[in-house]
Amino acid sequence: MLSRHLRPRRLIALSVATAATGLLAPTTASATTGPQGGADHHFTTRILIGDTDPARGCSGALVSSEWAITTASCFANDSSEVTAGRPAVKSTLIVSGSGFSSSKAHTSTIAELVPAKGRDIVMARLANSAPADIPTVSLSSAPVATGDETVFAGTGRTATEWVPDKVHTAAFEVGRVDDATLAITGKTETDAICQGDTGGPLLRHTADGAELVGLATGSWQGGCLGTPETETRTDAQAVRADDLGDWISSVAGRSWTRQLAAGDFDGDKRADAIAIDETDGNLYLHAGDGKGGFAGRRQLGVQWETSRVITAGNFAGDSNTDLVAIRDNGLLLTYTGNGEGNFAKPITAGTGWNSMRLLAAGDFDGDKKTDLLAAHTNGTLYIYPGTGDGKVGRGIVAGAGWAGIRLIAGGDFNGDGKADIAAVHDNGTLYAYANNGKNGFNSGVAVGGGWKTTRLITSGDFNGDGMADLLALRGASTFYSYAGNGKGNFAAPVISQP
């Protein structure tokens, strides 16, 4: 048991030089000479705080492809100073899979922190989602109890390495169990938790696999590299996570953006993004910087959670960008923009749109008016000619077999003056469909792969070069702006996390 008068040393590491000694902060977690973790510990993450050398480092665990869990004290000396939102300094997460130097290791900046109330725990959102083949940790199905056998996995020092390349583990028995903390003791003299292991997962192994019961917060570090040889204690502390399953799941299940559209909404001649937040149902503007990136968001409206699909364009014919939405009740509504980032009361442009699952805007019929392009649930593609007053005419069948396409955007991608389609198929391939000038489109041409994790797309001239670009949303709220080359293809993306 830990002494009531002596406090175990904290485990945050300062990364030493990246040359001879390597990064001291986030290495594989194992205590002293514990064994390397197997495939069932590949959810263990390394976290670097700051982009200087040395940098703070600690450990954590991947909860979902977009979220990891660690301690708040990983990000500040006083965990109470960690607030919700973007980390105070640049923070990077690496999840190893088979090894931190492996080509399969996934690296992402941390875009957002969500602290747990009254507990030294924080959820960290990845700017770039982890691949589906990297496992995530399971949450505890029962309370932790005194006498439980557990395994710790982390990325800190071992007995012989400053920065191991693979996750290491150590065996612990649970001693005292308080409301928020656990006292644990190494099963052998080589089972210890070392510097750089803060936030690493404490796991209870069951018939269904490892489940998360806590996160490391402090240790005597007996036997760890750099610890005096006279220090042999392997007692440690952890913060409980076994009773936070509902909170962890609610945060990990959150998704910021449910719908996305683009256009110059604020009248500064730069294309912006407009989005509906899944969490609060409100409408937000992300101002474009004219270089393919986006600034922080500004709230425009409330109670947009009943809008199923949105798109944007000049539907009223007054040079301002308007917003069109399909509501859950099947109403098609046009919100005319005022050129200053706000919208008037909606115009009912149609009813019975319940079966339309995809929507895009552009001059698809060549009459210089903005039209709607809609994909029906039965796979039929329609063009609805704009009337120039915020409404649309009768639909024209423009194609069939679009059931296997999950995202569309409209724009003149090949530079011929006619609005084309960019579409993401269910298999993750991006196709360009050129307008044939006859209320239809030519066969699709594959222009990119690996779009399976893309959640939403829209189009606009985001870099101000006069050519239609493509904007993709991945993860919770990371924007990828692909500049169009005017020939139906796209450049490498500009990535922003507004």
Side-chain angles (χ1 to χ4, degrees), residues 110-330:
I110 294 175
E112 178 191 11
L113 299 178
V114 180
K117 186 176 181 180
R119 195 116 8 137
D120 185 9
I121 286 179
V122 70
M123 292 283 284
R125 179 168 60 85
L126 282 63
N128 303 315
S129 301
D133 59 352
I134 294 182
T136 57
V137 68
S138 297
L139 304 182
S140 176
S141 57
V144 66
T146 298
D148 279 356
E149 300 288 328
T150 61
V151 172
F152 172 79
T155 63
R157 301 178 187 179
T158 66
T160 58
E161 297 178 279
W162 294 107
V163 185
D165 184 55
K166 298 183 182 297
V167 172
H168 284 66
T169 60
F172 284 86
E173 181 177 334
V174 176
R176 187 189 69 249
V177 178
D178 293 332
D179 289 342
T181 61
L182 303 171
I184 55 178
T185 303
K187 297 287 290 183
T188 72
E189 62 182 7
T190 63
D191 287 313
I193 294 175
C194 299
Q195 192 170 4
D197 283 337
T198 288
L202 186 68
L203 308 160
R204 178 172 51 199
H205 284 264
T206 70
D208 296 323
E211 58 182 29
L212 180 70
V213 297
L215 302 168
T217 56
S219 169
W220 293 114
Q221 303 182 54
C224 299
L225 187 63
T227 300
E229 293 183 3
T230 54
E231 179 57 80
T232 60
R233 288 171 291 184
T234 60
D235 301 61
Q237 285 182 337
V239 58
R240 288 181 64 180
D242 60 306
D243 58 343
L244 294 181
D246 289 344
W247 176 79
I248 295 170
S249 296
S250 67
V251 175
R254 189 180 86 174
S255 179
W256 266 23
T257 304
R258 62 175 286 179
Q259 290 299 333
L260 184 68
D264 179 14
F265 298 103
D266 56 11
D268 65 355
K269 309 302 180 184
R270 298 173 179 173
D272 313 307
I274 203 166
I276 299 174
D277 189 308
E278 177 76 19
T279 306
D280 59 19
N282 295 334
L283 185 71
Y284 291 89
L285 176 73
H286 298 266
D289 63 6
K291 300 176 182 179
F294 299 88
R297 64 182 190 168
R298 173 169 67 89
Q299 184 175 320
L300 296 183
V302 297
Q303 297 180 340
W304 280 74
E305 59 269 15
T306 61
S307 293
R308 249 184 344 103
V309 191
I310 62 174
T311 191
N314 180 18
F315 295 97
D318 59 1
S319 76
N320 294 329
T321 302
D322 312 311
L323 191 61
V324 169
I326 299 176
R327 295 285 192 177
D328 287 340
N329 60 7

Side-chain angles (χ1 to χ4, degrees), residues 352-373:
W353 283 65
N354 310 64
S355 298
M356 296 302 178
R357 64 183 184 88
L358 300 175
L359 205 60
D363 181 12
F364 298 105
D365 61 6
D367 66 354
K368 308 302 181 184
K369 296 177 183 177
T370 302
D371 313 312
L372 280 179
L373 185 74

Side-chain angles (χ1 to χ4, degrees), residues 8-19:
R9 284 171 290 189
R10 299 183 63 204
L11 307 172
I12 293 175
L14 295 178
S15 78
V16 184
T18 53

Side-chain angles (χ1 to χ4, degrees), residues 414-481:
N414 62 6
D416 65 356
K418 294 174 286 190
D420 313 308
I421 305 174
V424 178
H425 286 233
D426 285 342
N427 64 5
T429 304
L430 176 69
Y431 283 83
Y433 293 82
N435 192 315
N436 64 12
K438 301 175 182 179
N439 290 326
F441 302 88
N442 296 330
S443 298
V445 177
V447 293
W451 286 64
K452 209 164 189 177
T453 60
T454 302
R455 296 181 50 239
L456 298 167
I457 63 172
T458 188
S459 62
D461 181 12
F462 301 109
N463 61 2
D465 64 357
M467 293 183 281
D469 311 319
L470 197 59
L471 181 65
L473 177 77
R474 298 194 178 103
S477 59
T478 301
F479 290 160
Y480 291 71
S481 177

Side-chain angles (χ1 to χ4, degrees), residues 55-81:
R56 291 166 64 94
C58 47
S59 304
L62 199 66
V63 173
S64 72
S65 62
E66 295 177 0
W67 291 89
I69 190 169
T70 185
T71 56
S73 53
C74 173
F75 295 89
N77 290 327
D78 184 346
S79 61
S80 65
E81 296 176 354

